[in-house]
Amino acid sequence: MHSLPRPRRSRLAPGLVPVAGLVLALTSLVGCGAEAQGPRLELSAAVPDEVPDGTVLRVGDPATQVALEASGLDEELDVDVEWANITGGPKTLEAFRADAIDVGSVADIPPLFAQWTGTDIKIIAARETVDPLEHPTYELGVAPGVKVSSLEDLEGKSIAYSPGQAQGALVLRVLAKAGLTQDDVELVEMASVDDAYVLALGSKQVDVAPLGQSLVGSYLAKYEQDGGSTVKPGVRDDAWTLYTPTSVLQDADKAAALQDYVEVWAQAQQWISEHPDEFAQAYYVDHEGLSSEDATRITEALGEFEVPTSWDDVIARHQETADLLATEQDHEELDVADLYDRRYETAIAAALGGGQ
């Protein structure tokens, strides 16, 4: 059932369009990555323990790739991995639809939108931040000349809004915390791709935009002297997942490969938290090209991660988010528990020794 439509104060920013040509770019990956399917596996059946020789897993998660290589944990993988430099919800979903990757790493919103837009998926791992309110994933960037020092100051402001991404859900959560509704602000629809939100703030296309921690430093370096600033969102925004098309889990060989991968993935997330300086150098400096100072600032801002070995609380919070989006964006209601494949919860718990 759908909620009744409600009025929206939103517009599409001029000059900002979805990523062009992504599907064409992905088609080059399809032929080289795809291989014959393994035996069919029912979703209710146990995941095989052994990964058959020659099984290839196509993964879009460059941060974990770097962590595995820097830590040496890549030697623990019993599956051949083809890495794709694909991040973010829109690009990952396009890659799924082009059959270019088997699993992607995203926040909690892209799996919901995949399901809402006809791509049947399952979540196979989750990650959280230790002390998430003190270490937000995003900060609210405020354009030069705009006065926002508290969440209540958002009233009447134009805010960059990407409905299908984590940034969009964050905006809705922030408005609710401030006691505001969509009718109290102007939501400007634009995808958060690369530095699009930094440019939108700098050119004053919007007053406010949620910026990932990797963009906060560059935004302030460019615009703080002109009055640009940031404000912490004051709400949790730390949910992170691995998700995969359901069809991949119905391939017994791929399902086994995913089990092997999530076990080592969980260990890699722990390594990132325990070795922040090494990860900062390997990923943010060597891979992303940032300065050492920016890399250190990002890792300190993001804090430590933990991989829950019980998903009960994760699913409950995800359900609250899905309910919020269903109401505010007129989506079909979802039972989020159906999106989680808890066979992998058990595998992760075993890999981490039963818990944190």
Side-chain angles (χ1 to χ4, degrees):
M1 207 181 146
H2 286 74
S3 306
L4 291 175
R6 60 192 296 271
R8 300 281 193 272
R9 292 185 65 203
S10 66
R11 60 184 171 87
L12 182 65
L16 291 170
V17 297
V19 179
L22 180 60
V23 174
L24 291 176
L26 291 172
T27 55
S28 63
L29 297 174
V30 176
C32 64
E35 66 278 335
Q37 291 186 340
R40 180 176 173 82
L41 182 72
E42 297 300 324
L43 296 179
S44 58
V47 177
D49 290 328
E50 298 296 326
V51 181
D53 290 342
T55 303
V56 175
L57 197 62
R58 301 166 297 166
V59 181
D61 189 357
T64 296
Q65 177 187 2
V66 169
L68 290 173
E69 293 170 351
S71 65
L73 285 167
D74 56 336
E75 299 295 328
E76 302 296 319
L77 285 170
D78 290 329
V79 59
D80 293 329
V81 176
E82 287 183 0
W83 296 100
N85 191 27
I86 294 173
T87 60
K91 293 181 180 179
T92 300
L93 183 55
E94 290 291 353
F96 284 160
R97 290 173 174 168
D99 188 27
I101 61 173
D102 298 313
V103 61
S105 178
V106 294
D108 56 344
I109 307 307
L112 301 178
F113 271 81
Q115 197 73 18
W116 276 325
T117 56
T119 299
D120 194 18
I121 57 87
K122 296 291 183 185
I123 295 167
I124 59 171
R127 189 191 75 191
E128 300 176 318
T129 299
V130 178
D131 200 1
L133 295 183
E134 287 300 314
H135 296 282
T137 304
Y138 300 94
E139 294 186 27
L140 300 178
V142 182
V146 176
K147 303 298 183 183
V148 174
S149 58
S150 69
L151 299 186
E152 290 73 19
D153 294 335
L154 293 174
E155 185 172 7
K157 303 299 190 295
S158 59
I159 305 175
Y161 180 62
S162 180
Q165 294 181 274
Q167 293 91 330
L170 173 66
V171 168
L172 296 177
R173 292 191 195 106
V174 167
L175 291 178
K177 182 175 178 62
L180 301 172
T181 70
Q182 294 187 47
D183 297 324
D184 295 318
V185 298
E186 182 181 13
L187 298 182
V188 182
E189 290 196 14
M190 63 176 76
S192 176
V193 179
D194 301 325
D195 60 350
Y197 279 10
V198 169
L199 297 175
L201 288 168
S203 61
K204 301 185 180 180
Q205 293 185 64
V206 294
D207 298 323
V208 177
L211 301 177
Q213 290 295 350
S214 62
L215 294 174
V216 169
S218 62
Y219 174 67
L220 293 177
K222 290 180 181 178
Y223 299 109
E224 188 172 24
Q225 63 184 0
D226 299 322
S229 62
T230 63
V231 177
K232 287 188 176 181
V235 297
R236 287 195 72 159
D237 63 352
D238 60 309
W240 200 254
T241 71
L242 292 183
Y243 78 135
T244 181
T246 300
S247 58
V248 175
L249 294 170
Q250 293 171 325
D251 179 327
D253 295 350
K254 293 279 192 179
L258 284 170
Q259 181 168 267
D260 180 70
Y261 180 74
V262 299
E263 291 171 354
V264 182
W265 173 89
Q267 296 173 50
Q269 308 314 302
Q270 287 188 325
W271 181 86
I272 291 171
S273 290
E274 294 167 0
H275 302 83
D277 293 339
E278 292 177 54
F279 179 72
Q281 177 65 39
Y283 183 64
Y284 292 111
V285 177
D286 296 340
H287 188 274
E288 297 293 288
L290 301 181
S291 68
S292 297
E293 293 76 13
D294 284 341
T296 298
R297 187 200 64 77
I298 293 168
T299 53
E300 290 178 351
L302 291 175
E304 297 181 1
F305 302 133
E306 60 185 357
V307 177
T309 55
S310 169
W311 293 352
D312 290 343
D313 291 343
V314 173
I315 292 172
R317 284 194 297 273
H318 206 171
Q319 185 67 60
E320 292 176 359
T321 299
D323 292 344
L324 174 67
L325 296 182
T327 299
E328 294 294 320
Q329 297 178 347
D330 189 30
H331 292 296
E332 182 179 3
E333 293 181 358
L334 291 177
D335 184 348
V336 169
D338 292 341
L339 303 184
Y340 283 77
D341 190 330
R342 301 192 77 156
R343 295 175 296 179
Y344 293 88
E345 174 187 30
T346 303
I348 288 171
L352 296 181
Q356 299 291 323

